[in-house]
Amino acid sequence: MKWLAFISFIFLFSFAISRDLKRSARDAEHKSEIVHRFNDLKEEAFKGAGLITFAQYLYKCPYEEIAKLVKNVVDLAHKCVANEQDPECLKPVPTIVLDEICKIDMLGEAYGEMAKCCSKADPERNQCFLSFKHSVPGFLPPYQRPEPDVMCKTFQENKESFMAHHIYEVSRRHPFLYAPTILALAVDVEHVIEHCCKEANASVCLGGKLPPIKERVLLLSKKNTYDCGILKKFGERTFQADTLAIISQKFPKASFPEISKIVKEITHLHVECCAGDMIECTDDRAEIVNYICSKQDVFSSKIKDCCEKPVVERSECVVRAEFDDTPEGLPLLAKKYVEDKDVCQHFTAEHDVFLAEFLYEYSRRHHEFSTQMLLRIAKGYESLLEECCKKESASECYSHAEETLRSHIQETQEVVKTNCDLLASLGEHDFQKAILVRYTRKMPQVSPETLIEISKKMAAVGSKCCQQTEARRIPCTEGYLSMVIQGMCRRQEAMPINEKVTHCCDDSYADRRPCFTKLGVDESYKPPQFTPELFTFHEDLCTAPAETQHIKQLTFLANLIKLKPTVTDEQLRKIYTDFTGMVEKCCKAEQHEACFGVEGPKLITESQALLAR
């Protein structure tokens, strides 16, 4: 997307000097990167980040083997502190980590094809190892927490060992969860156990305080996996644009140059974290947060308490901090970007800077918008100026910018309101059915199981976000829907669905959600022949657990639409009502199976006749 080009220039220009100076200062002090990281993080955090790195790559390895690898790297760091000129000390930290992995004798036996990565040179070796990281949860069984009395006893006997094992178990199950987050949440766990194990009823205390931390681990693991997926799919420019929008919202009183500096650094940080370089990831996030904390008066009034915390807790606290208040008395955007007669002159001469500042200014004034929506507005403004600045009456043309941009705002507001109203009137189960109908029509090639999973996630987004305040409803909805869509698109890459879905997934990050919203019935789809075997009804429709019965009903609905995606809502309602009526009748009958044997074929015949119209 051409409009994103402006991001790259301004960030490179504004921060290349400061980053180069910082690196030059480091190089003057330390030739060895491992020494720099070790001195920055101190031994405990360095070991923690190393443990996370190895456990995320080698999820099958027992803790004891991972601990040996960590010890080897820590021992090397100590050696390098004493002698930085040693050739081993001059290697980048990721190379040192992968060298250790490649020394494992049984790597091929344990990990198969992954062992072949060792034959490659960096950075290809690193990319090869990354490709074997699992991006879908569930490849390991959930961690079984010890009984409270065992947990307290083990923790009190050797807190360091207990916490190291905890970090290992979390890391191996969440290969894209960033190390600074794992370390910060581990501190939360440590504080909870310390507190609860002193309570009279430790079991109740732990049972109340640990699950919310686990939920946060799961959420942030999905978020970091999503971030890495977007970075890989759309590249650094798109990621920087998205980051510029959110950081401008979070720190609205900071100047554009200051925001530009940290956005460039944050983007680089994500590149490191997504590359599996968790030692640099941890160190660089600490540096960014320390910089922000050193300029609290510039950035935010909401981070004072965060900045007083120890380094590991400080970074996660600043990340979680709420948006600062928008400064009072900001001039109207229209004055500079709509009413100024020299807009085209600025747009032409300072294209990249001009548009980056527009995104910054719009974002800091609108906390209630999602970042994707803000990117759509910036893209719309650029398209308008490209058209208007070719005309003689340019100022008259772009004087209507506010009305043009309002269309992007209204589309999102209407979609969110319509769906929240529908959820309120239907309830979550029936709301899920409505979503299932929509998406089965859009992509009937997808299996009922996957369509049901997608519709369930989307319905859950509605339940979570529609109860938010008006100011948070759109960011919540588009933020979580973007994660659901990313999961859908990741599947589409492995197994293409149809051309329209491919277009929505690949064309534009900012436009993904509106693209899917606008998708109609897939005309290229060739439905299967209607055969009675597609629909079988048995007594498990009466006896199975409620959730299983719900899934069976949804499966019937999806399979029905797959036979005729153009089926009208009225026809669909008639068949589904007849289906639920049949289930109700047969579940009241003494012989469930016999009833389904009679009523099922009737329903199939009637449905086939209705679909044939």
Side-chain angles (χ1 to χ4, degrees):
M1 292 190 302
K2 196 162 59 171
W3 74 278
L4 284 169
F6 72 83
I7 298 294
S8 183
F9 172 81
I10 184 59
F11 291 154
L12 288 172
F13 177 78
S14 66
F15 207 55
I17 295 175
S18 75
R19 178 169 272 279
D20 286 346
L21 285 175
K22 184 162 67 173
R23 284 178 171 159
S24 296
R26 286 177 185 170
D27 291 346
E29 185 181 352
H30 299 297
K31 291 188 173 68
S32 168
E33 186 187 318
I34 193 171
V35 171
H36 157 62
R37 300 297 180 183
F38 187 74
N39 288 343
D40 267 9
L41 287 172
K42 310 306 179 197
E43 185 162 338
E44 185 179 357
F46 184 90
K47 282 171 65 177
L51 174 61
I52 292 164
T53 303
F54 284 117
Q56 287 183 330
Y57 279 123
L58 305 170
Y59 65 94
K60 294 179 186 176
C61 271
Y63 170 79
E64 291 71 23
E65 294 303 314
I66 297 290
K68 288 178 186 175
L69 298 175
V70 175
K71 184 179 183 302
N72 291 344
V73 175
V74 172
D75 287 349
L76 177 62
H78 280 295
K79 175 185 171 185
C80 294
V81 168
N83 178 18
E84 290 190 44
Q85 303 305 317
D86 188 302
E88 282 293 302
C89 303
L90 300 178
K91 292 180 180 178
V93 173
T95 299
I96 292 170
V97 167
L98 295 183
D99 283 352
E100 283 296 321
I101 292 175
C102 290
K103 290 175 188 174
I104 298 172
D105 291 333
M106 308 296 284
L107 191 66
E109 189 175 318
Y111 293 93
E113 289 293 308
M114 191 176 84
K116 294 180 180 177
C117 296
C118 294
S119 64
K120 300 178 183 293
D122 289 325
E124 286 76 17
R125 179 174 65 160
N126 189 63
Q127 288 302 317
C128 181
F129 273 106
L130 280 176
S131 71
F132 286 92
K133 279 193 174 186
H134 289 269
S135 57
V136 180
F139 57 92
L140 284 176
Y143 175 62
Q144 296 301 313
R145 200 170 68 207
E147 290 298 314
D149 56 337
V150 175
M151 188 186 297
C152 290
K153 183 174 184 293
T154 310
F155 179 81
Q156 288 160 353
E157 285 176 350
N158 191 335
K159 181 168 74 174
E160 184 180 343
S161 173
F162 181 94
M163 292 311 303
H165 277 80
H166 167 80
I167 289 168
Y168 159 77
E169 294 292 356
V170 171
S171 303
R172 64 199 287 253
R173 285 171 172 80
H174 301 283
F176 288 96
L177 183 56
Y178 296 172
T181 301
I182 295 175
L183 294 174
L185 292 172
V187 172
D188 290 345
V189 168
E190 182 180 336
H191 289 165
V192 164
I193 296 175
E194 280 179 337
H195 167 75
C196 288
C197 290
K198 294 174 184 173
E199 295 291 303
N201 196 333
S203 179
V204 172
C205 182
L206 290 167
K209 292 180 182 294
L210 286 179
I213 300 175
K214 181 180 179 180
E215 286 303 309
R216 184 150 183 84
V217 167
L218 294 173
L219 173 62
L220 292 176
S221 179
K222 289 175 186 173
K223 179 67 171 67
N224 290 159
T225 303
Y226 165 80
D227 288 336
C228 293
I230 295 301
L231 189 57
K232 181 180 179 181
K233 178 74 178 175
F234 293 102
E236 288 185 44
R237 286 182 174 180
T238 297
F239 198 90
Q240 284 179 160
D242 197 55
T243 305
L244 174 61
I246 190 70
I247 295 300
S248 301
Q249 287 180 314
K250 190 177 181 76
F251 302 132
K253 70 181 181 183
S255 67
F256 177 64
E258 285 287 2
I259 292 294
S260 299
K261 285 181 184 180
I262 61 167
V263 166
K264 178 63 180 175
E265 285 291 81
I266 289 168
T267 302
H268 179 75
L269 167 72
H270 281 278
V271 171
E272 289 180 333
C273 299
C274 293
D277 186 358
M278 292 304 171
I279 292 174
E280 291 191 9
C281 173
T282 305
D283 188 19
D284 283 352
R285 188 161 93 165
E287 284 187 350
I288 293 168
V289 170
N290 288 345
Y291 178 77
I292 292 169
C293 284
S294 73
K295 292 189 166 189
Q296 290 181 52
D297 57 324
V298 169
F299 285 104
S300 177
S301 62
K302 307 287 186 181
I303 58 174
K304 184 176 183 297
D305 291 343
C306 294
C307 293
E308 291 172 357
K309 292 179 180 289
V311 64
V312 170
E313 296 159 82
R314 183 189 309 151
S315 65
E316 188 64 21
C317 183
V318 169
V319 169
R320 289 193 216 178
E322 61 182 289
F323 292 170
D324 201 9
D325 303 320
T326 303
E328 293 182 8
L330 288 176
L332 292 174
L333 279 175
K335 187 174 182 181
K336 179 175 180 180
Y337 296 102
V338 179
E339 296 169 6
D340 189 340
K341 301 297 182 186
D342 295 325
V343 164
C344 286
Q345 183 180 330
H346 295 305
F347 176 66
T348 304
E350 311 154 23
H351 183 275
D352 301 332
V353 181
F354 184 75
L355 288 172
E357 282 193 283
F358 172 81
L359 179 58
Y360 156 77
E361 294 288 3
Y362 215 104
S363 302
R364 69 199 287 241
R365 286 166 171 79
H366 291 285
H367 292 181
E368 76 279 15
F369 292 170
S370 66
T371 58
Q372 295 87 351
M373 186 175 169
L374 289 162
L375 296 187
R376 291 195 292 273
I377 291 167
K379 180 183 175 184
Y381 182 63
E382 182 188 28
S383 297
L384 179 71
L385 292 187
E386 283 180 344
E387 179 186 337
C388 291
C389 292
K390 294 173 185 174
K391 298 181 178 180
E392 286 187 19
S393 56
S395 59
E396 163 60 24
C397 178
Y398 64 68
S399 67
H400 304 291
E402 288 182 283
E403 294 88 49
T404 303
L405 300 182
R406 198 171 292 126
S407 65
H408 296 287
I409 298 167
Q410 288 174 339
E411 184 273 343
T412 307
Q413 289 172 333
E414 286 168 10
V415 166
V416 172
K417 184 181 186 306
T418 299
N419 282 282
C420 286
D421 288 348
L422 189 62
L423 173 61
S425 66
L426 295 179
E428 188 169 334
H429 264 200
D430 284 343
F431 182 58
Q432 183 185 354
K433 286 177 191 169
I435 295 171
L436 180 67
V437 170
R438 282 183 216 163
Y439 275 82
T440 306
R441 284 173 169 158
K442 294 174 197 283
M443 39 193 201
Q445 300 88 345
V446 176
S447 70
E449 294 78 13
T450 300
L451 287 164
I452 290 167
E453 180 192 337
I454 290 166
S455 64
K456 183 178 182 179
K457 288 177 179 177
M458 289 186 170
V461 170
S463 295
K464 180 180 182 65
C465 298
C466 290
Q467 62 183 338
Q468 299 282 328
T469 62
E470 285 292 330
R472 296 307 305 155
R473 193 172 286 179
I474 288 175
C476 178
T477 302
E478 282 216 316
Y480 282 106
L481 278 180
S482 292
M483 291 168 68
V484 176
I485 289 170
Q486 170 65 5
M488 208 156 61
C489 290
R490 193 177 61 239
R491 282 176 169 154
Q492 133 83 22
E493 286 179 3
M495 192 176 296
I497 298 167
N498 61 51
E499 287 183 8
K500 289 182 177 180
V501 171
T502 300
H503 171 76
C504 288
C505 287
D506 295 351
D507 185 54
S508 162
Y509 165 70
D511 287 327
R512 264 184 168 184
R513 198 279 307 152
C515 186
F516 274 102
T517 299
K518 292 172 189 170
L519 274 189
V521 173
D522 178 22
E523 297 89 354
S524 68
Y525 173 68
K526 301 277 190 296
Q529 287 293 321
F530 190 112
T531 59
E533 290 74 28
L534 282 171
F535 302 100
T536 56
F537 311 110
H538 299 287
E539 65 175 347
D540 56 0
L541 282 166
C542 311
T543 58
E547 183 59 23
T548 304
Q549 291 183 41
H550 178 60
I551 290 170
K552 286 181 175 294
Q553 292 171 9
L554 294 177
T555 302
F556 171 79
L557 194 57
N559 281 329
L560 201 60
I561 299 166
K562 281 168 168 286
L563 288 170
K564 188 180 179 182
T566 55
V567 61
T568 66
D569 289 343
E570 187 180 344
Q571 290 172 327
L572 202 57
R573 197 177 299 114
K574 170 74 170 67
I575 296 172
Y576 191 75
T577 301
D578 290 347
F579 166 71
T580 54
M582 176 195 71
V583 171
E584 186 178 349
K585 177 181 178 179
C586 289
C587 290
K588 287 178 179 175
E590 285 189 21
Q591 298 294 325
H592 300 330
E593 198 69 24
C595 178
F596 282 120
V598 173
E599 297 298 327
K602 288 183 189 175
L603 176 67
I604 291 169
T605 302
E606 290 168 5
S607 300
Q608 186 173 11
L610 197 59
L611 290 175
R613 292 179 189 173

